[in-house]
Amino acid sequence: ARTQQQNIPLASLQWAAQKVAAQQDTHVLQRRRLSLELQNDSSAKSDSAVLSYAETYLAEFANRSLLYFLHVSKSGGTSLCVWGQQNGCQAAPNADNCHCLTGKPLWEGGLTGPPLQKYSCEHSAEYFRTENATIEGTENFLYRTGPCHLFFNVMVFRDPVSRLVAHMGDQFGVRCNKPGGCLLGGKTVRWDDGLGPEVLWKSTYFRLADNYYTRSLLGGSVFNRGFDQIDQMHVKRAKQVLEQFDVILVLDSSFTEYVELLLGWQCEASARIRKDDLAKRLKKSWEGTSNESILKTQNQYDYQLFRYAQELVEVDRWVYNHPAFRKVLSSAREERLVKKEECGHLRKQNLVQRRRRARRRVKSASPSKSAKR
């Protein structure tokens, strides 16, 4: 039986009407148009359309050179990196947490790597090609021009304030939990002080608590804007960029299920959760207080973006949950395992393992010394 779902939100219906008419027919648009059709038609014709789209999805995925995920810190990115590598995806040499040097975290702002005008889709694709990389998890901001069309692009969302709480528990918990506290915003604070929003906003880490998702989607110039300099224009642009991602995921109870289905991976439990007890303490100290309310107001644009991401996910799941789609993608994963192809639906062979297998084939094909004698 098909999974029961809510009706697609009105905003997404409006989105579909506008985008299908105005843009080229990408596989993402095909999927969302099909989702709208599935609400009104459960016939065999729809089943056939879903089967056709599932094949299109797999072809699009396998035709890309690399799986790229925009890693907004504490939004499941480390799990994606660990799972990807467990499934044979290769990060660039010396990459940390699946991001190369230009993809490292920039929680205090700044730019990394080559000049910004050279930090482009094509430049990155050539670098990853020469390094035989098949996965990249950039942990700062997206390209100025949006998702790279040469990559299969993925992004994960969670509640913005929950993300911030997890981030603070992870990064500041140990330092600020020491007897002497830590220095934030020009003053020494202790974890038990509650680390209120004002302390963050006066520090170099203000971006983390000021519409961080929106900043991350709009390139270096927006990412590096000052405190309280994100507005409605920015979130409108961020929504347009988000629509172009091949897959959008939400960090909820079904996260692992959809990662396995849509990326073609087998996912073990992630062990990369750190200092969670400190995050829980902070969450408890903020819940229902003025701190929580102030943070939600300051991050209103991220909440608009988060709700929009949830709507797009709800649209997409009409296709993802269709039995025909799941059957095709599950079969593709089993076939990949038999053929020893790596990195899920990207279907690239791990170069190191491929070379080892080639050497074994050469060795087994060579006559033995005893045979020569």
Side-chain angles (χ1 to χ4, degrees):
R2 295 181 185 174
T3 303
Q4 294 295 316
Q5 291 181 241
Q6 301 174 353
N7 287 339
I8 295 173
L10 177 60
S12 298
L13 291 170
Q14 294 169 339
W15 171 89
Q18 295 168 359
K19 300 299 177 182
V20 171
Q23 293 187 2
Q24 62 183 19
D25 199 23
T26 66
H27 87 94
V28 177
L29 285 171
Q30 291 176 26
R31 179 174 71 232
R32 290 174 183 157
R33 183 170 60 237
L34 179 56
S35 293
L36 295 176
E37 294 172 356
L38 288 174
Q39 271 205 102
N40 303 311
D41 183 4
S42 59
S43 65
K45 180 180 178 182
S46 292
D47 292 350
S48 176
V50 173
L51 284 170
S52 177
Y53 173 74
E55 296 294 345
T56 297
Y57 176 90
L58 290 172
E60 286 280 349
F61 204 146
N63 195 43
R64 310 293 176 88
S65 62
L66 174 135
L67 190 150
Y68 177 100
F69 61 96
L70 182 59
H71 182 172
V72 179
S73 304
K74 306 311 294 182
S75 298
T78 297
S79 291
L80 288 182
C81 174
V82 171
W83 289 334
Q85 291 180 318
Q86 288 174 348
N87 283 270
C89 301
Q90 287 182 273
N94 302 316
D96 176 35
N97 205 10
C98 286
H99 51 66
C100 63
L101 290 178
T102 57
K104 69 181 183 180
L106 294 172
W107 300 319
E108 296 180 88
L111 302 174
T112 63
L116 193 57
Q117 64 269 24
K118 293 184 180 179
Y119 182 56
S120 65
C121 163
E122 291 75 13
H123 176 274
S124 297
E126 178 60 19
Y127 168 76
F128 292 127
R129 185 191 65 79
T130 59
E131 300 295 346
N132 299 306
T134 53
I135 191 169
E136 163 68 12
T138 296
E139 199 169 353
N140 45 63
F141 49 81
L142 193 61
Y143 303 101
R144 179 179 56 83
T145 53
C148 178
H149 64 283
L150 301 171
F151 306 152
F152 194 86
N153 298 283
V154 178
M155 187 169 181
V156 185
F157 276 83
R158 70 184 295 185
D159 177 272
V161 171
S162 294
R163 188 212 69 79
L164 173 62
V165 168
H167 199 153
M168 291 184 67
D170 184 33
Q171 295 301 318
F172 306 136
V174 169
R175 290 188 292 129
C176 297
N177 202 38
K178 293 179 179 179
C182 65
L183 188 66
L184 277 178
K187 61 182 268 190
T188 300
V189 296
R190 294 184 302 275
W191 183 256
D192 289 334
D193 294 336
L195 293 180
E198 293 82 0
V199 175
L200 271 179
W201 293 333
K202 292 177 182 178
S203 77
T204 53
Y205 293 95
F206 68 84
R207 291 168 187 82
L208 303 179
D210 185 28
N211 299 288
Y212 197 57
Y213 280 109
T214 304
R215 290 174 180 270
S216 299
L217 276 167
L218 295 179
S221 60
V222 174
F223 183 86
N224 284 297
R225 291 178 72 88
F227 174 69
D228 205 27
Q229 292 185 15
I230 303 299
D231 57 29
Q232 194 65 45
M233 176 192 70
H234 292 117
V235 74
K236 181 179 179 180
R237 285 172 50 198
K239 288 179 180 180
Q240 293 170 344
V241 172
L242 181 61
E243 291 165 358
Q244 301 171 47
F245 276 75
D246 296 285
V247 167
I248 304 168
L249 297 165
V250 175
L251 199 61
D252 59 16
S253 60
S254 61
F255 176 60
T256 304
E257 172 193 347
Y258 285 105
V259 169
E260 291 186 325
L261 174 70
L262 299 172
L263 304 188
W265 295 348
Q266 290 180 315
C267 301
E268 300 176 5
S270 175
R272 297 292 296 276
I273 300 175
R274 296 154 290 186
K275 296 174 278 296
D276 189 53
D277 58 327
L278 298 173
K280 288 178 179 178
R281 284 169 57 191
L282 180 58
K283 181 180 180 182
K284 184 177 180 180
S285 72
W286 277 2
E287 276 184 340
T289 67
S290 58
N291 280 341
E292 183 180 42
S293 177
I294 290 170
L295 276 168
K296 287 187 174 182
T297 299
Q298 183 62 36
N299 289 274
Q300 60 178 305
Y301 303 116
D302 262 11
Y303 272 99
Q304 290 182 36
L305 187 63
F306 176 53
R307 286 191 291 270
Y308 191 62
Q310 288 177 306
E311 289 190 359
L312 293 179
V313 167
E314 189 66 33
V315 171
D316 290 338
R317 285 183 178 180
W318 277 84
V319 171
Y320 297 161
N321 291 336
H322 194 285
F325 184 84
R326 286 178 171 263
K327 181 179 180 180
V328 171
L329 266 66
S330 297
S331 297
R333 186 173 70 173
E334 295 305 316
E335 179 185 349
R336 174 186 64 80
L337 293 173
V338 170
K339 292 184 176 180
K340 294 182 169 38
E341 293 171 323
E342 305 288 347
C343 205
H345 297 318
L346 199 65
R347 305 190 73 150
K348 309 297 182 187
Q349 287 194 341
N350 183 303
L351 193 65
V352 174
Q353 293 183 8
R354 192 191 315 169
R355 287 171 176 167
R356 287 174 180 168
R357 285 195 289 267
R359 286 197 293 268
R360 285 198 295 268
R361 285 196 297 269
V362 170
K363 187 176 180 179
S364 63
S366 301
S368 64
K369 291 183 180 179
S370 58
K372 288 181 179 178
R373 289 196 297 266

